[in-house]
Amino acid sequence: MSENASTGTAGTIAFLGLGHMGGPMAVNLIKAGHTVVGFDPVPAAVEAAKEHGVPMAGSAAEAVEGAAVVLTMLPSGKHVLDAYRGVDGGPGLLSVAAPDTMFLDCSTINVDEAREAAALAVEAGHRSVDAPVSGGVVGAEAGTLTFMVGALPEDFDTVKPILEHMGKRIVHCGDHGAGQAAKVCNNMILGVSMIAVSEAFVLGEKLGLTHQALFDVASNASGQCWALTTNCPVPGPVPTSPANRDYQPGFAGALMAKDLRLAVNALESTGVEGRMGHLASEIYDAFAAGEGAARDFSGIITDIRDKSGK
Ligand code: NAD
């Protein structure tokens, strides 16, 4: 990978996918002195990126030509694999890129898809890293994302300084696919624990407990977890949690439903007996089929309460 002598940073970064997350991440790279060329097929995303000072190419292939790093922040694994391979006779990015290009995928995708993308990139003479994030749009804007990285050790060393301009915690989780594996395991814990905390609050209501009393006990006892102490699903005990602003996200129900579907895929492909993960996925799919898609995932408590009768 070539170095940019004027900034001391890696050469041009082709940034594909300038949506809610990619837009602010690209801006942070530019602020840090990187040369970035963006591409997104949606005109509104292109306009927003340009307004924020991100130079845009006319096609993905144009952005990738001559780039040292191809950073993707796309909706799904299919988008990533299609972009790498090419669709409808169009050129795949792997064939357009110069030899030894770093393919850095920050999208949240299936573990198997991440491994497939890495194998394709390596077979085509490139390098590959999966680096999904947590921290949401707020973290993307503030440059405080957590990156979970699957990479060979030398590739991790190469991408770490780039990721540090978009995030504050960069964790090397293992080889190709390990970043996605860490993300899917963490979010399965989160989905299951939010349902458990919400059921406990509704049960407490039925049993005549105040929210504060249950919080004061559970947050200092063995029920303690992030879903309770940071993202508390009832208003009051944690004033900053989305429950205090009518469940404005935060972390939207649609994204939790997506991540749990990835968890279920991983449970199935590995043969793990993951009944809680499967159930959490069903529960969040139903939540995200309605208004829950755009609400914080802690709004699941309202569904549980509604279904619990008077
Ligand atoms: P988004 O839909 O806002 O942005 C994705 C962008 O990719 C869109 O602008 C789309 O037009 C573009 N795109 C699609 N195909 C493309 C292609 N071939 N080339 C270039 N651009 C293409 O989604 P987002 O919220 O920014 O999320 C991106 C990824 O980050 C997803 O995988 C998501 O699961 C993950 N993620 C999102 C959040 C969040 O809070 N939004 C948090 C953590 C992780």
Side-chain angles (χ1 to χ4, degrees):
M1 236 171 62
S2 58
E3 287 282 316
N4 180 331
S6 62
T7 60
T9 56
T12 300
I13 300 174
F15 203 121
L16 310 182
L18 291 122
H20 292 100
M21 296 294 288
M25 288 164 71
V27 168
N28 282 330
L29 287 176
I30 290 170
K31 278 190 195 151
H34 290 281
T35 304
V36 174
V37 180
F39 174 72
D40 195 295
V42 172
V46 173
E47 284 318 307
K50 280 185 180 164
E51 266 173 36
H52 288 96
V54 182
M56 298 295 285
S59 69
E62 190 187 315
V64 166
E65 274 166 30
V69 177
V70 176
L71 195 163
T72 38
M73 194 57 176
L74 305 179
S76 73
K78 179 171 169 16
H79 288 86
V80 175
L81 289 168
D82 281 353
Y84 279 20
R85 289 193 189 111
V87 278
D88 302 330
L93 303 180
L94 296 175
S95 66
V96 173
D100 206 32
T101 295
M102 173 63 74
F103 278 79
L104 170 56
D105 180 39
C106 297
S107 327
T108 304
I109 71 176
N110 279 306
V111 178
D112 292 346
E113 291 169 323
R115 294 194 174 130
E116 189 180 349
L120 288 169
V122 169
E123 202 179 292
H126 303 301
R127 300 157 72 181
S128 176
V129 171
D130 54 289
V133 306
S134 74
V137 176
V138 172
E141 286 170 351
T144 55
L145 295 169
T146 293
F147 285 89
M148 294 148 266
V149 186
L152 301 178
E154 61 272 27
D155 291 341
F156 177 73
D157 293 343
T158 304
V159 299
K160 190 166 179 258
I162 300 171
L163 300 179
E164 280 171 343
H165 291 139
M166 300 181 285
K168 71 170 196 294
R169 289 192 66 223
I170 322 294
V171 185
H172 190 193
C173 301
D175 205 343
H176 296 143
Q180 299 293 351
K183 164 112 186 165
V184 93
C185 290
N186 177 71
N187 281 19
M188 189 173 77
I189 297 173
L190 179 59
V192 169
S193 59
M194 181 55 81
I195 294 167
V197 168
S198 297
E199 288 181 356
F201 270 112
V202 175
L203 180 60
E205 289 166 8
K206 296 278 184 193
L207 296 174
L209 268 180
T210 64
H211 292 157
Q212 193 63 48
L214 176 55
F215 180 85
D216 288 346
V217 171
S219 64
N220 289 295
S222 44
Q224 191 274 338
C225 61
W226 189 91
L228 175 72
T229 57
T230 301
N231 219 72
C232 190
V234 293
V238 180
T240 50
S241 79
N244 297 279
R245 44 175 204 270
D246 195 24
Y247 302 98
Q248 292 306 304
F251 187 49
L255 290 169
M256 177 49 88
K258 173 193 167 178
D259 289 358
L260 286 168
R261 284 195 291 273
L262 298 180
V264 164
N265 291 342
L267 289 170
E268 285 177 351
S269 70
T270 53
V272 169
E273 162 79 351
R275 291 165 65 188
M276 303 300 285
H278 277 273
L279 195 51
S281 179
E282 264 176 47
I283 289 171
Y284 271 107
D285 270 346
F287 180 64
E291 286 176 1
R295 306 186 90 197
D296 188 76
F297 78 116
S298 60
I300 194 72
I301 193 170
T302 54
D303 270 18
I304 294 167
R305 195 181 281 121
D306 289 349
K307 288 175 184 151
S308 298
K310 295 270 174 233

